[in-house]
Amino acid sequence: MKSLIFIIVVAALLAGAWACAKSPSKPIENPVEIGEPRENAEVTDSDSVVSFRYESREVVDGKMLFEACEWQKSNGRITFYYSKLGTREGTHIYNVDGRAALDSITAALRGKRWSLETFAEFDKWKDDQNCWMFHATLQSGAEICIACEHESPRGDIDVRLNELTRRLVDRQIEINKTSGIESEYSISTLKPDGSLSQRIDYLSDGTVKGGYDPDAPLNSF
C-alpha cells in the first residue's frame, strides 16, 4: 500500500513538472532595448564624404515647409536628389558629375568636432515637423548623423548647412545642364507633409519607364 501511494505521489510531481515545462513563458513587460551607443566620426585629412543627405522641416503659419538634398557615390556613379524649399516636387537623377559637391561637403565637415555632438538615428526623426538633420557616410565607412530641433534664432550649424546645401544644389543643377551626362531620372510628387505621393521614372530621353504610387502599389505607369 505504501509503495502504491509513493508511486502516485511521484507521478503527480512529474505531471506538474511537465505542465510547468510546457506552459508558455510570461512575456516581459516594457522590455528595455540595449544597444551600443554610437559616436559621430571626425573627417580626417585622409578621409572623404561618399554620401550625404540633408533635410529640413518646419511648420510656418500652419504650413509645412520642407527641403532635402542628397549625393551618393556608389559603383563609380554619383546619384543626386533634391527638393527645393516651398515646392512639392523631388527630382532624383541617377548619374551626375557630383564630385565638386562631395568635395565641398568634405571640406565643410572637416575640422569640426562631430564626436562632441549626439549621434541621432536618422529614421527616428522622419516624422518630426520641426527639425533639421544630415547624415554623411565617409570613405572609411564611418558616419556622422545629426538631428536637432529648429531653434529660434536658428543655430549656427543649422544655418551654415542650410546655406551650403542650397548653394550646392543650385550649382549641381547648372553642372547637370552642361556636363553632357545622359541619365535616367525620377520625378516625385510630395504630399503636404513631405512624404511621397507618386513617383514617375523616366529614361534619359524622357520616355516614361515606370513609377510608383504608395497608396496604390499595383498601379501601372
Side-chain angles (χ1 to χ4, degrees):
M1 185 65 178
K2 290 182 179 179
S3 298
L4 178 60
I5 293 173
F6 177 77
I7 292 171
I8 292 172
V9 170
V10 171
L13 290 173
L14 289 174
W18 175 254
C20 290
K22 296 294 286 183
S23 299
S25 58
K26 184 179 179 182
I28 300 173
E29 296 182 3
N30 302 321
V32 177
E33 294 184 8
I34 300 176
E36 290 293 328
R38 301 183 66 180
E39 186 175 278
N40 288 307
E42 313 290 354
V43 186
T44 64
D45 290 342
S46 61
D47 216 344
S48 60
V49 175
V50 294
S51 73
F52 174 87
R53 184 174 181 88
Y54 169 85
E55 291 187 21
S56 174
R57 294 191 294 272
E58 188 174 12
V59 176
V60 179
D61 297 328
K63 181 182 179 181
M64 169 70 79
L65 298 177
F66 52 84
E67 57 186 313
C69 63
E70 180 178 43
W71 288 263
Q72 185 169 355
K73 183 179 181 181
S74 179
N75 298 322
R77 286 190 172 189
I78 298 174
T79 63
F80 170 57
Y81 172 83
Y82 71 94
S83 175
K84 286 196 168 187
L85 183 70
T87 67
R88 288 178 57 185
E89 184 175 277
T91 302
H92 199 154
I93 306 173
Y94 298 99
N95 187 19
V96 301
D97 181 359
R99 292 171 297 177
L102 288 176
D103 286 347
S104 294
I105 293 167
T106 297
L109 299 186
R110 183 173 286 143
K112 170 69 177 175
R113 295 290 305 279
W114 298 111
S115 59
L116 300 179
E117 305 286 342
T118 301
F119 188 99
E121 294 289 350
F122 205 81
D123 288 344
K124 291 183 179 180
W125 290 72
K126 64 182 179 182
D127 296 322
D128 194 285
Q129 297 185 338
N130 182 43
C131 70
W132 62 270
M133 63 191 82
F134 80 90
H135 180 205
T137 302
L138 308 182
Q139 181 72 43
S140 63
E143 295 176 90
I144 306 169
C145 199
I146 307 290
C148 294
E149 297 283 347
H150 281 300
E151 300 173 337
S152 183
R154 296 177 73 165
D156 182 61
I157 298 176
D158 180 7
V159 171
R160 288 176 180 272
L161 276 175
N162 187 262
E163 292 175 348
L164 172 68
T165 52
R166 288 182 181 180
R167 187 166 64 249
L168 292 180
V169 166
D170 288 340
R171 184 193 301 173
Q172 186 66 65
I173 293 172
E174 289 300 317
I175 291 174
N176 295 347
K177 292 177 180 177
T178 60
S179 66
I181 296 178
E182 294 186 356
S183 174
E184 296 183 0
Y185 61 97
S186 298
I187 303 294
S188 298
T189 304
L190 307 175
K191 297 178 181 178
D193 64 355
S195 61
L196 179 66
S197 174
Q198 180 178 268
R199 188 193 73 237
I200 306 295
D201 303 323
Y202 299 88
L203 299 174
S204 59
D205 62 2
T207 302
V208 174
K209 177 184 177 182
Y212 176 66
D213 184 339
D215 298 322
L218 298 181
N219 279 2
S220 57
F221 296 85

